[in-house]
Amino acid sequence: MNQTVNQIPPYRWAKRARDSVAPEGGTTSGGDLIELGGGFDFPDALPDIVSEAMAAAELRSETLQYGPLYGLNDLRDAVAEYLRQDGIAATRENILVVNGAKHGLDLACRVFLEPEDPVIVAAPTYLMAAKILRHAEASFVSIPQDEEGMDTEVLRDRLQARQDAGESMPKLLYDMPDFHNPTGIPMSAVRRRRLVDLATQYDFVIIEDDPYRRIRFEGEAVPPIKAFDESGRVIGLGTISKILAPGLRIGWVNADPAIVRRIAAHKSDGGSCPLLQRIVVQLLRNRKMDQHVATLISLLRVHRNAMIDAIHEHLPDTLVRVPNGGYFLWVRLPPGIDADELVRRAAKEGVSIISGRLCFAEEPPGSFLRLAYSFSTPADIVEGVKRLGRAYASIRSELETSINRIVRS
Ligand code: PMP
């Protein structure tokens, strides 16, 4: 029977849910649209997990039963080992398995934030993180980035000014130091260390979200912020979404056991899916994940290059930053070109992109696009940017016409 009724009751929504209705979807745009918006994994490269899934299904009493709240110990150990490769002193007690990094952020908000609590974010920041923080009813302290990442001196000045004015001080800072989404900027080692010092001085906790660290095309890695943390002020969020498959929905929180235990108490699912966790343990142990990452790097480097070349050809007068890794390009549009309008016209031309406006927790300081080169093939990337170029050209010519009219009148 169809459940739609003629008139719904006047549901008494919680305040935080009054304006939030999720659209259907969460998948690629589909149809004839070329997807250059969402950070989906490259479909041709998704790993073959059939043998691991079959082996996991054999372990019925582990994988089909309720699993441990903190996650399978084998996975917690494997994640700790993975983090130690980056200089983070993690052991099983530091790791809580969650259903993806976003889930970890949601849980961290639950244990740290009261409504209106200020949270420090970069401007721009990860659009879903901004959304999760908004749902936690946080207020924002947005700090600009330069080529070294979040500007820690601006941050220091803002914090000091708040303190001097007796304003409430942020409890949390959220950022992505490696191949930032959307800008692709890696934070310098100096800034990472400085952030930890500021966290101690001004008493806040840093949430370091690090999904793209291994997707590096060029350059040398610097240690994660967590590697500079000697006092338990950094929560690391990790995920296999960008290095294996987002559909598995496995991530982790890496923090001091006091934080891990507190967050676990608020993890209301009673433990993440043990079947999926066992599959991931095997993919880590048999090194398939390492091989997969190597394949991804060589494929996505080609994708990135194809997109950069196409942007230079089809989007004149825009500024694009060439990232050394990650999934995204960040494009600054010239004055007068509205990103939201460009998104609408691009969709009509047959390409899906993301307006930079969504990547700011507060007012954007200009007009930007976030483009993902992860999902589409190089040929589709080129065609997609060509279509985007047509939408862009149509706005530019209207803009020129109206400028000419103003000049003549
Ligand atoms: N953090 C960042 C910065 C991301 O870009 C993404 C994916 N777009 C995620 C987290 C998503 O993580 P997960 O799929 O594990 O929830």
Side-chain angles (χ1 to χ4, degrees):
M1 198 180 87
N2 189 334
Q3 277 205 15
T4 312
V5 290
N6 285 339
Q7 192 159 21
I8 57 164
Y11 299 119
R12 293 183 296 148
W13 308 113
K15 187 165 145 275
R16 79 183 79 84
R18 263 174 220 161
D19 300 322
S20 38
V21 178
E24 293 268 353
T27 56
T28 51
S29 39
D32 293 333
L33 274 189
I34 292 178
E35 178 68 56
L36 302 182
F40 298 98
D41 285 21
F42 186 41
D44 296 359
L46 288 171
D48 178 351
I49 60 160
V50 173
S51 56
E52 289 77 12
M54 276 167 43
E58 294 287 330
L59 303 169
R60 285 193 309 157
S61 58
E62 175 190 79
T63 56
L64 299 183
Q65 189 53 273
Y66 283 119
L69 176 62
Y70 286 75
L72 295 184
N73 280 337
D74 282 349
L75 182 56
R76 297 170 77 201
D77 289 344
V79 167
E81 193 194 318
Y82 174 81
L83 295 172
R84 286 196 296 271
Q85 293 167 14
D86 288 332
I88 295 172
T91 60
R92 182 188 297 177
E93 291 66 37
N94 298 111
I95 307 301
L96 172 71
V97 177
V98 292
N99 311 326
K102 295 193 291 286
H103 186 211
L105 177 59
D106 204 16
L107 290 169
C109 289
R110 209 174 284 190
V111 302
F112 279 103
L113 296 183
E114 308 288 348
E116 302 301 322
D117 273 348
V119 175
I120 305 157
V121 292
T125 189
Y126 171 38
L127 61 98
M128 289 303 293
K131 193 167 164 184
I132 291 166
L133 290 165
R134 263 187 218 110
H135 284 164
E137 301 174 68
S139 63
F140 293 99
V141 177
S142 299
I143 304 296
Q145 279 186 313
D146 60 19
E147 277 301 304
E148 277 193 70
M150 184 186 279
D151 190 328
T152 42
E153 289 325 288
V154 173
L155 173 61
R156 195 212 75 94
D157 292 349
R158 292 277 298 276
L159 289 170
Q160 191 56 46
R162 286 183 86 96
Q163 195 171 69
D164 294 345
E167 290 175 21
S168 63
M169 296 300 282
K171 282 182 183 164
L172 295 178
L173 176 149
Y174 168 86
D175 203 15
M176 301 141 277
D178 288 304
F179 311 124
H180 184 275
N181 174 1
T183 62
I185 293 174
M187 187 184 286
S188 69
V190 172
R191 294 263 174 98
R192 292 176 195 225
R193 195 183 288 279
R194 179 81 176 124
L195 269 191
V196 174
D197 291 344
L198 289 174
T200 310
Q201 188 181 345
Y202 292 98
D203 190 22
F204 59 85
V205 167
I206 297 169
I207 300 184
E208 176 181 35
D209 189 7
D210 210 5
Y212 301 105
R213 184 173 173 82
R214 301 281 158 118
I215 310 295
R216 170 179 291 282
F217 311 134
E218 298 96 13
E220 288 296 309
V222 293
I225 302 176
K226 184 71 185 155
F228 296 104
D229 174 31
E230 284 167 6
S231 60
R233 286 203 172 266
V234 180
I235 300 177
L237 297 179
T239 179
I240 58 149
S241 287
K242 308 297 167 173
I243 48 177
L244 265 175
L248 293 175
R249 306 309 306 135
I250 296 288
W252 56 87
V253 171
N254 164 35
D256 187 272
I259 295 180
V260 166
R261 286 197 291 266
R262 191 73 54 141
I263 290 182
H266 287 262
K267 188 173 187 288
S268 50
D269 61 0
S272 296
C273 172
L275 180 72
L276 300 175
Q277 292 183 65
R278 180 51 64 190
I279 293 171
V280 174
V281 169
Q282 296 185 37
L283 292 164
L284 283 163
R285 281 186 180 162
N286 67 16
R287 300 260 161 248
K288 259 203 194 173
M289 193 185 84
D290 290 343
Q291 290 159 18
H292 179 66
V293 169
T295 308
L296 266 186
I297 290 173
S298 58
L299 287 169
L300 294 185
R301 189 188 287 112
V302 176
H303 287 212
R304 176 205 59 182
N305 293 346
M307 191 177 256
I308 296 275
D309 291 347
I311 289 173
H312 286 150
E313 187 175 344
H314 299 291
L315 297 177
D317 298 329
T318 60
L319 273 178
V320 59
R321 195 185 169 282
V322 182
N324 289 340
Y327 273 32
F328 303 104
L329 293 186
W330 185 237
V331 182
R332 179 187 274 273
L333 300 170
I337 307 274
D338 179 62
D340 295 352
E341 178 59 20
L342 185 50
V343 169
R344 280 189 287 276
R345 292 201 195 188
K348 283 196 193 133
E349 291 288 344
V351 57
S352 169
I353 56 168
I354 295 237
S355 166
R357 180 182 300 281
L358 300 176
C359 305
F360 290 91
E362 298 176 285
E363 260 315 286
S367 203
F368 303 89
L369 297 180
R370 191 194 77 170
L371 301 180
Y373 49 78
S374 53
F375 177 78
S376 294
T377 60
D380 278 349
I381 287 173
V382 172
E383 175 58 25
V385 176
K386 208 170 173 181
R387 294 180 188 182
L388 174 57
R390 285 202 292 269
Y392 178 71
S394 76
I395 300 184
R396 283 205 343 156
S397 76
E398 282 171 24
L399 194 67
E400 273 161 28
T401 312
S402 63
I403 290 172
N404 286 340
R405 209 175 290 134
I406 293 165
V407 170
R408 268 190 252 111
S409 63

PDB file of all heavy atoms in Angstrom, residues 100-102 126 174 176 181 209 211-212 239 241-242 249, ligand 1:
ATOM      1  N   GLY A 100      32.818   5.248   8.847  1.00  0.00           N
ATOM      2  CA  GLY A 100      33.330   6.312   7.985  1.00  0.00           C
ATOM      3  C   GLY A 100      33.754   7.525   8.806  1.00  0.00           C
ATOM      4  O   GLY A 100      33.329   7.709   9.960  1.00  0.00           O
ATOM      5  N   ALA A 101      34.604   8.361   8.179  1.00  0.00           N
ATOM      6  CA  ALA A 101      35.153   9.528   8.883  1.00  0.00           C
ATOM      7  C   ALA A 101      34.055  10.521   9.277  1.00  0.00           C
ATOM      8  O   ALA A 101      34.121  11.149  10.335  1.00  0.00           O
ATOM      9  CB  ALA A 101      36.198  10.213   8.010  1.00  0.00           C
ATOM     10  N   LYS A 102      33.049  10.654   8.435  1.00  0.00           N
ATOM     11  CA  LYS A 102      31.964  11.605   8.752  1.00  0.00           C
ATOM     12  C   LYS A 102      31.257  11.182  10.041  1.00  0.00           C
ATOM     13  O   LYS A 102      30.859  12.005  10.849  1.00  0.00           O
ATOM     14  CB  LYS A 102      30.949  11.676   7.595  1.00  0.00           C
ATOM     15  CG  LYS A 102      31.530  12.246   6.318  1.00  0.00           C
ATOM     16  CD  LYS A 102      30.442  12.599   5.314  1.00  0.00           C
ATOM     17  CE  LYS A 102      29.742  11.393   4.743  1.00  0.00           C
ATOM     18  NZ  LYS A 102      30.540  10.634   3.754  1.00  0.00           N
ATOM     19  N   TYR A 126      35.689  21.373   4.150  1.00  0.00           N
ATOM     20  CA  TYR A 126      34.964  20.245   3.556  1.00  0.00           C
ATOM     21  C   TYR A 126      33.464  20.472   3.755  1.00  0.00           C
ATOM     22  O   TYR A 126      33.003  20.643   4.881  1.00  0.00           O
ATOM     23  CB  TYR A 126      35.438  18.955   4.236  1.00  0.00           C
ATOM     24  CG  TYR A 126      34.666  17.706   3.910  1.00  0.00           C
ATOM     25  CD1 TYR A 126      34.183  17.449   2.629  1.00  0.00           C
ATOM     26  CD2 TYR A 126      34.446  16.743   4.882  1.00  0.00           C
ATOM     27  CE1 TYR A 126      33.491  16.289   2.344  1.00  0.00           C
ATOM     28  CE2 TYR A 126      33.768  15.573   4.608  1.00  0.00           C
ATOM     29  CZ  TYR A 126      33.280  15.354   3.338  1.00  0.00           C
ATOM     30  OH  TYR A 126      32.595  14.204   3.059  1.00  0.00           O
ATOM     31  N   TYR A 174      38.526  21.934  13.253  1.00  0.00           N
ATOM     32  CA  TYR A 174      38.438  20.859  12.252  1.00  0.00           C
ATOM     33  C   TYR A 174      39.241  21.268  11.027  1.00  0.00           C
ATOM     34  O   TYR A 174      39.058  22.374  10.508  1.00  0.00           O
ATOM     35  CB  TYR A 174      36.967  20.616  11.849  1.00  0.00           C
ATOM     36  CG  TYR A 174      36.865  19.729  10.622  1.00  0.00           C
ATOM     37  CD1 TYR A 174      36.876  18.341  10.751  1.00  0.00           C
ATOM     38  CD2 TYR A 174      36.812  20.269   9.335  1.00  0.00           C
ATOM     39  CE1 TYR A 174      36.835  17.518   9.635  1.00  0.00           C
ATOM     40  CE2 TYR A 174      36.771  19.452   8.219  1.00  0.00           C
ATOM     41  CZ  TYR A 174      36.776  18.086   8.369  1.00  0.00           C
ATOM     42  OH  TYR A 174      36.749  17.270   7.268  1.00  0.00           O
ATOM     43  N   MET A 176      41.814  19.535   7.432  1.00  0.00           N
ATOM     44  CA  MET A 176      42.390  18.422   6.669  1.00  0.00           C
ATOM     45  C   MET A 176      43.769  18.856   6.211  1.00  0.00           C
ATOM     46  O   MET A 176      43.873  19.629   5.269  1.00  0.00           O
ATOM     47  CB  MET A 176      41.549  18.132   5.429  1.00  0.00           C
ATOM     48  CG  MET A 176      40.129  17.780   5.693  1.00  0.00           C
ATOM     49  SD  MET A 176      39.082  18.557   4.431  1.00  0.00           S
ATOM     50  CE  MET A 176      38.877  20.199   5.091  1.00  0.00           C
ATOM     51  N   ASN A 181      40.357  19.270   1.166  1.00  0.00           N
ATOM     52  CA  ASN A 181      39.145  19.301   0.346  1.00  0.00           C
ATOM     53  C   ASN A 181      38.410  20.594   0.707  1.00  0.00           C
ATOM     54  O   ASN A 181      37.983  20.744   1.846  1.00  0.00           O
ATOM     55  CB  ASN A 181      38.290  18.065   0.695  1.00  0.00           C
ATOM     56  CG  ASN A 181      36.940  18.075   0.010  1.00  0.00           C
ATOM     57  OD1 ASN A 181      36.614  18.980  -0.738  1.00  0.00           O
ATOM     58  ND2 ASN A 181      36.143  17.051   0.280  1.00  0.00           N
ATOM     59  N   ASP A 209      41.245  15.411   9.945  1.00  0.00           N
ATOM     60  CA  ASP A 209      40.555  14.487   9.035  1.00  0.00           C
ATOM     61  C   ASP A 209      41.513  14.213   7.872  1.00  0.00           C
ATOM     62  O   ASP A 209      41.936  15.156   7.192  1.00  0.00           O
ATOM     63  CB  ASP A 209      39.269  15.190   8.552  1.00  0.00           C
ATOM     64  CG  ASP A 209      38.350  14.278   7.771  1.00  0.00           C
ATOM     65  OD1 ASP A 209      38.618  13.067   7.699  1.00  0.00           O
ATOM     66  OD2 ASP A 209      37.351  14.799   7.233  1.00  0.00           O
ATOM     67  N   PRO A 211      41.654  11.769   4.882  1.00  0.00           N
ATOM     68  CA  PRO A 211      41.346  10.679   3.948  1.00  0.00           C
ATOM     69  C   PRO A 211      42.279  10.575   2.744  1.00  0.00           C
ATOM     70  O   PRO A 211      42.355   9.527   2.114  1.00  0.00           O
ATOM     71  CB  PRO A 211      39.919  10.991   3.484  1.00  0.00           C
ATOM     72  CG  PRO A 211      39.694  12.425   3.767  1.00  0.00           C
ATOM     73  CD  PRO A 211      40.645  12.847   4.839  1.00  0.00           C
ATOM     74  N   TYR A 212      42.974  11.681   2.420  1.00  0.00           N
ATOM     75  CA  TYR A 212      43.697  11.714   1.133  1.00  0.00           C
ATOM     76  C   TYR A 212      45.200  11.554   1.251  1.00  0.00           C
ATOM     77  O   TYR A 212      45.911  11.630   0.250  1.00  0.00           O
ATOM     78  CB  TYR A 212      43.394  13.041   0.401  1.00  0.00           C
ATOM     79  CG  TYR A 212      41.929  13.222   0.150  1.00  0.00           C
ATOM     80  CD1 TYR A 212      41.168  14.105   0.903  1.00  0.00           C
ATOM     81  CD2 TYR A 212      41.285  12.467  -0.825  1.00  0.00           C
ATOM     82  CE1 TYR A 212      39.814  14.239   0.700  1.00  0.00           C
ATOM     83  CE2 TYR A 212      39.925  12.597  -1.037  1.00  0.00           C
ATOM     84  CZ  TYR A 212      39.201  13.477  -0.275  1.00  0.00           C
ATOM     85  OH  TYR A 212      37.851  13.588  -0.478  1.00  0.00           O
ATOM     86  N   THR A 239      39.700   6.874   7.252  1.00  0.00           N
ATOM     87  CA  THR A 239      38.671   6.179   6.476  1.00  0.00           C
ATOM     88  C   THR A 239      39.332   5.370   5.372  1.00  0.00           C
ATOM     89  O   THR A 239      40.415   5.720   4.896  1.00  0.00           O
ATOM     90  CB  THR A 239      37.689   7.198   5.857  1.00  0.00           C
ATOM     91  OG1 THR A 239      36.719   6.497   5.083  1.00  0.00           O
ATOM     92  CG2 THR A 239      38.378   8.213   4.947  1.00  0.00           C
ATOM     93  N   SER A 241      37.565   5.094   2.657  1.00  0.00           N
ATOM     94  CA  SER A 241      36.740   5.508   1.511  1.00  0.00           C
ATOM     95  C   SER A 241      37.553   5.902   0.285  1.00  0.00           C
ATOM     96  O   SER A 241      37.141   5.665  -0.840  1.00  0.00           O
ATOM     97  CB  SER A 241      35.843   6.682   1.910  1.00  0.00           C
ATOM     98  OG  SER A 241      34.814   6.237   2.748  1.00  0.00           O
ATOM     99  N   LYS A 242      38.696   6.554   0.487  1.00  0.00           N
ATOM    100  CA  LYS A 242      39.458   7.044  -0.666  1.00  0.00           C
ATOM    101  C   LYS A 242      40.604   6.116  -1.029  1.00  0.00           C
ATOM    102  O   LYS A 242      41.272   6.335  -2.033  1.00  0.00           O
ATOM    103  CB  LYS A 242      40.016   8.441  -0.364  1.00  0.00           C
ATOM    104  CG  LYS A 242      38.973   9.412   0.116  1.00  0.00           C
ATOM    105  CD  LYS A 242      37.914   9.676  -0.943  1.00  0.00           C
ATOM    106  CE  LYS A 242      36.719  10.392  -0.354  1.00  0.00           C
ATOM    107  NZ  LYS A 242      35.751  10.805  -1.358  1.00  0.00           N
ATOM    108  N   ARG A 249      31.982   1.665   4.055  1.00  0.00           N
ATOM    109  CA  ARG A 249      31.637   2.482   5.229  1.00  0.00           C
ATOM    110  C   ARG A 249      32.432   2.080   6.461  1.00  0.00           C
ATOM    111  O   ARG A 249      31.851   1.773   7.532  1.00  0.00           O
ATOM    112  CB  ARG A 249      30.111   2.419   5.544  1.00  0.00           C
ATOM    113  CG  ARG A 249      29.175   2.763   4.424  1.00  0.00           C
ATOM    114  CD  ARG A 249      29.479   4.065   3.723  1.00  0.00           C
ATOM    115  NE  ARG A 249      29.571   5.223   4.579  1.00  0.00           N
ATOM    116  CZ  ARG A 249      30.537   6.142   4.493  1.00  0.00           C
ATOM    117  NH1 ARG A 249      31.504   6.051   3.580  1.00  0.00           N
ATOM    118  NH2 ARG A 249      30.544   7.165   5.290  1.00  0.00           N
TER     119      ARG A 249
HETATM  120  N1  PMP B   1      36.560  13.786   5.037  1.00  0.00           N
HETATM  121  C1  PMP B   1      36.896  14.424   3.920  1.00  0.00           C
HETATM  122  C2  PMP B   1      37.800  15.604   3.984  1.00  0.00           C
HETATM  123  C3  PMP B   1      36.423  13.987   2.681  1.00  0.00           C
HETATM  124  O1  PMP B   1      36.744  14.643   1.571  1.00  0.00           O
HETATM  125  C4  PMP B   1      35.575  12.868   2.630  1.00  0.00           C
HETATM  126  C5  PMP B   1      35.013  12.352   1.338  1.00  0.00           C
HETATM  127  N2  PMP B   1      34.541  13.276   0.464  1.00  0.00           N
HETATM  128  C6  PMP B   1      35.254  12.234   3.813  1.00  0.00           C
HETATM  129  C7  PMP B   1      35.758  12.715   4.997  1.00  0.00           C
HETATM  130  C8  PMP B   1      34.310  11.087   3.778  1.00  0.00           C
HETATM  131  O2  PMP B   1      34.664  10.094   4.615  1.00  0.00           O
HETATM  132  P1  PMP B   1      33.775   8.827   4.845  1.00  0.00           P
HETATM  133  O3  PMP B   1      33.320   8.286   3.521  1.00  0.00           O
HETATM  134  O4  PMP B   1      34.694   7.903   5.533  1.00  0.00           O
HETATM  135  O5  PMP B   1      32.620   9.232   5.724  1.00  0.00           O
END
